[in-house]
Amino acid sequence: MTDRHDLPAGFRWGASTAAYQVEGAVDADGRGRSIWDTFCERPGAVKNGESGRVACDHYHRWGEDVELMRGLGLDGYRFSIAWTRVQPTGRGPANAAGLDFYDRLVDGLLAAGITPLPTLFHWDLPQALEDEGGWMQRETAFRFAEYAGVVADRLGDRVPAWITLNEPFVHMVYGYALGIHAPGRTLMLDALPAAHHQLLGHGLAAAELRGRGLDVLIANNLTPVRAASDAPADRAAAEAYDALHNRLFTDPLLLGRYPDLSAYGVGPDLHGAVRDGDLALISGPNLAGLGVNYYNPTRIAAPTDPGLPFAEAPIDGVPRTHFGWPVVPAGLYELLLTLRERYGDTLPPITVTENGCSTDGALDDTFRTDYLAGHLDALARATAHGVDVRGYYTWSLLDNFEWAEGYSQRFGLVHVDFDTQQRTPRASYTWYRDLIAAHRAKSAPR
Ligand code: BGC
């Protein structure tokens, strides 16, 4: 049976992080305030009142972190750029000192033989733009495109491929609908324009990047949706959930239209946000790749609360991560096959841009190794069944600031002692390093 050792030659191995989760140094070199700086100050918003002020201090310790990546033998490193280091208020000329940091990082990665894969937006919107309405405002999409151009002008000579947005679904739902993440708004279904404006921002930024000869990807959090039973009400609920979580993002990108959201009482213009020509900007020309962030499947039943057309049902009988998330590697196979069936030839090559788990923090993390092995086996099966998956970036290289959970969820191949900033590779680091080396040895021409 196909497993992770059978991944195709040229398959790319990576690890991911994000700016606010690792960099710290929030006041360094003219960085402006982001919505996460503000949100972390809100009493009760983040576990134990923690914040990303220091995080892994990657801003100063990036050299050591690149050495850890080199030790793994990574092909690529996915990180994000803090918009507020580049444009402290989200508009206008570049803050050269902020861009210098990414310039140093990119050169350091290249010197270590690692391809930089930057994400332009991983949830840390400039507070100045949030004060004007954030992603609920159409104007933010245009500001994002301007920022993309500024960054690409500086780094585009060395960075071939770019991810515009990270998980616009999670940012919309957690940030604007439920208020669990920054900016902490609780708009429920009225948050839908935040999805459209992010996608419009993607389309406009993609044009800036492509105009400079660069490849464009977008990373979404996707989940295979399973109905709790074959009963028509459960199946209809599962379809409604699938439309909101998955299709709301992949349909406009790949098919140039929004899915049917009538179960939510919402029309195809998403509360009037969609204007003529927007979908053409969002969908074309083709993406160089689709980034898939996969953590777990979702089981959905008919609604119990009249406010929403679905209810989440538990997934029993499987292991759970420290976060409590169900571990279902087969869900990744299911997701990849569904994408191929759903989008056929319009589906660009896929890169798994995040996958991983939180553990109790121990250095001997067999739980993580098993998690990664299971998911890579599922990924290999999907490639054997014809899905074009080009690479895998595990979440995460380092333990880091896990948003509303503070430092309580540890996702790293490398343990970080947040008092001393000491990095210690876990057992899973060695395991991943050996897997990469074995794959490379097997793929090398004889
Ligand atoms: C996000 C990461 C986050 C990870 C684990 C993803 O939703 O992109 O920033 O740390 O999941 O929760």
Side-chain angles (χ1 to χ4, degrees):
M1 193 156 114
T2 307
D3 70 15
R4 59 193 179 276
H5 300 289
D6 304 312
L7 284 161
F11 186 82
R12 296 181 67 77
W13 300 95
S16 296
T17 64
Y20 190 72
Q21 295 182 270
V22 298
E23 285 179 1
V26 293
D27 298 319
D29 299 326
R31 176 187 176 277
R33 260 178 96 76
S34 86
I35 57 174
W36 272 96
D37 297 307
T38 307
F39 189 70
C40 290
E41 287 169 4
R42 192 192 270 194
V46 176
K47 201 174 254 180
N48 304 322
E50 289 164 343
S51 79
R53 275 197 77 73
V54 178
C56 309
D57 195 28
H58 174 73
Y59 192 80
H60 299 111
R61 294 169 197 262
W62 62 271
E64 185 184 345
D65 295 338
V66 171
E67 280 313 304
L68 286 163
M69 296 179 223
R70 191 208 294 266
L72 279 169
L74 295 188
D75 294 300
Y77 173 49
R78 174 177 178 238
F79 59 99
S80 84
I81 293 180
W83 189 341
T84 54
R85 291 199 191 279
V86 178
Q87 291 177 308
T89 59
R91 48 165 50 88
N95 168 36
L99 265 172
D100 286 349
F101 167 66
Y102 298 106
D103 205 273
R104 291 192 291 275
L105 176 62
V106 161
D107 284 345
L109 289 166
L110 292 172
I114 300 165
T115 305
L117 178 59
T119 302
L120 286 164
F121 180 71
H122 199 125
W123 305 348
D124 46 356
L125 193 76
Q127 182 61 43
L129 294 184
E130 179 58 28
D131 293 342
E132 294 168 19
W135 287 111
M136 290 300 289
Q137 276 301 327
R138 188 176 171 87
E139 178 61 18
T140 299
F142 293 86
R143 298 280 60 79
F144 180 63
E146 180 190 69
Y147 152 67
V150 168
V151 179
D153 280 343
R154 180 75 183 269
L155 304 177
D157 57 337
R158 285 153 290 156
V159 177
W162 295 74
I163 296 173
T164 52
L165 305 176
N166 178 68
E167 299 191 353
F169 169 77
V170 175
H171 191 51
M172 171 188 75
V173 172
Y174 278 42
Y176 287 87
L178 302 176
I180 298 168
H181 281 180
R185 300 178 71 180
T186 48
L187 299 169
M188 295 307 288
L189 287 172
D190 288 342
L192 279 166
H196 180 65
H197 296 145
Q198 287 184 83
L199 286 170
L200 180 62
H202 157 81
L204 294 164
E208 293 289 335
L209 296 166
R210 277 194 296 261
R212 290 165 174 79
L214 304 170
D215 279 348
V216 179
L217 294 87
I218 181 170
N220 279 298
N221 179 298
L222 299 175
T223 184
V225 180
R226 300 165 168 183
S229 81
D230 271 342
D234 286 345
R235 291 166 63 114
E239 247 176 65
Y241 187 78
D242 188 33
L244 186 71
H245 191 129
N246 299 311
R247 302 192 87 126
L248 179 61
F249 300 91
T250 38
D251 280 11
L253 288 165
L254 302 176
L255 304 176
R257 59 168 186 262
Y258 278 108
D260 179 7
L261 294 175
S262 54
Y264 298 86
V266 175
D269 67 348
L270 305 189
H271 301 309
V274 184
R275 298 200 190 156
D276 280 354
D278 286 1
L279 283 158
L281 273 168
I282 291 167
S283 63
N286 285 344
L287 284 173
L290 182 68
V292 169
N293 295 358
Y294 171 74
Y295 288 92
N296 52 256
T298 309
R299 195 159 158 261
I300 293 293
T304 44
D305 154 4
L308 287 170
F310 63 82
E312 209 172 326
I315 296 178
D316 296 324
V318 299
R320 290 190 172 264
T321 72
H322 192 60
F323 223 134
W325 298 351
V327 179
V328 187
L332 178 57
Y333 172 83
E334 192 179 321
L335 172 65
L336 294 170
L337 269 284
T338 302
L339 285 169
R340 217 233 353 222
E341 273 159 33
R342 192 168 278 181
Y343 299 108
D345 290 343
T346 62
L347 182 69
I350 288 173
T351 295
V352 172
T353 35
E354 283 184 33
N355 174 246
C357 61
S358 61
T359 61
D360 61 5
L363 293 179
D364 186 1
D365 56 345
T366 323
F367 189 91
R368 175 170 292 105
T369 311
D370 289 349
Y371 182 101
L372 299 179
H375 286 78
L376 281 160
D377 286 349
L379 189 161
R381 281 205 308 284
T383 62
H385 285 100
V387 186
D388 183 2
V389 188
R390 302 276 171 95
Y392 175 89
Y393 288 67
T394 193
W395 186 272
S396 178
L397 176 72
L398 304 168
D399 289 343
N400 58 48
F401 176 71
E402 177 53 33
W403 309 116
E405 292 294 310
Y407 294 94
S408 66
Q409 300 296 335
R410 291 179 175 265
F411 278 88
L413 297 178
V414 176
H415 174 276
V416 178
D417 178 328
F418 292 105
D419 294 326
T420 62
Q421 292 298 341
Q422 162 113 26
R423 276 87 163 127
T424 311
R426 293 196 166 98
S428 57
Y429 175 98
T430 310
W431 177 88
Y432 196 47
R433 178 196 70 195
D434 293 349
L435 177 67
I436 295 171
H439 177 261
R440 211 162 272 148
K442 195 172 162 190
S443 314
R446 283 162 211 265

